[in-house]
Amino acid sequence: MQDKKTWLTVSILKLTPDKPMILKCTVFNDAFPKHKESESIQITFKGHLSAEIRKFTENETFELKCIDGKTSKDTKYKWIINNNEVPGEKENSLKILHINDSY
């Protein structure tokens, strides 16, 4: 307590994450019931890619790229749309001409 009006509190959180996540802390008490929020901390895993949701306009050309940062010639890709693998697509990009709701 520096000026006898404030308190310093330290909390330690121990966890073993099994997937990427974003953490933030909230604080409040009886004297200050309005919640205050810390800045977010993003936990990522090397080699783990996250999905991206994209919107499209019907009949446009739609291109997707998988960028993992360390692509080698041995890297294999698999494209899945609506839980169905796109046959024959093994590159890091996928181009769909005239996309529509059937995808």
Side-chain angles (χ1 to χ4, degrees), residues 3-4 6 9 27 30-31 34 40 43 46-47 53 56 65 85 95:
D3 59 7
K4 298 189 181 192
T6 60
T9 303
V27 62
D30 292 338
K34 185 177 178 185
S40 298
I43 297 175
K46 183 178 179 181
I53 298 173
F56 63 87
K65 290 189 178 191
E85 185 175 342
K95 185 184 273 189

Side-chain angles (χ1 to χ4, degrees), residues 49-60:
L49 301 176
S50 58
E52 176 183 348
I53 298 173
R54 299 207 18 214
K55 294 184 180 189
F56 63 87
T57 303
E58 192 164 349
N59 292 323
E60 75 177 354

Side-chain angles (χ1 to χ4, degrees), residues 57-84:
T57 303
E58 192 164 349
N59 292 323
E60 75 177 354
T61 297
F62 194 73
E63 186 167 7
L64 301 169
K65 290 189 178 191
C66 183
I67 302 169
D68 63 0
K70 294 189 177 188
T71 304
S72 72
K73 65 179 182 173
D74 297 326
T75 303
K76 296 180 180 11
Y77 296 90
K78 182 186 331 184
W79 292 94
I80 300 169
I81 299 176
N82 294 330
N83 294 322
N84 297 310

Side-chain angles (χ1 to χ4, degrees), residues 13 15 17 19-25 37-45 50:
L13 174 67
L15 63 109
K19 61 183 178 185
M21 62 177 58
I22 296 175
L23 297 173
K24 60 179 140 180
C25 174
E37 215 170 74
S38 70
E39 294 206 21
S40 298
I41 298 172
Q42 185 170 6
I43 297 175
T44 58
F45 290 88
S50 58

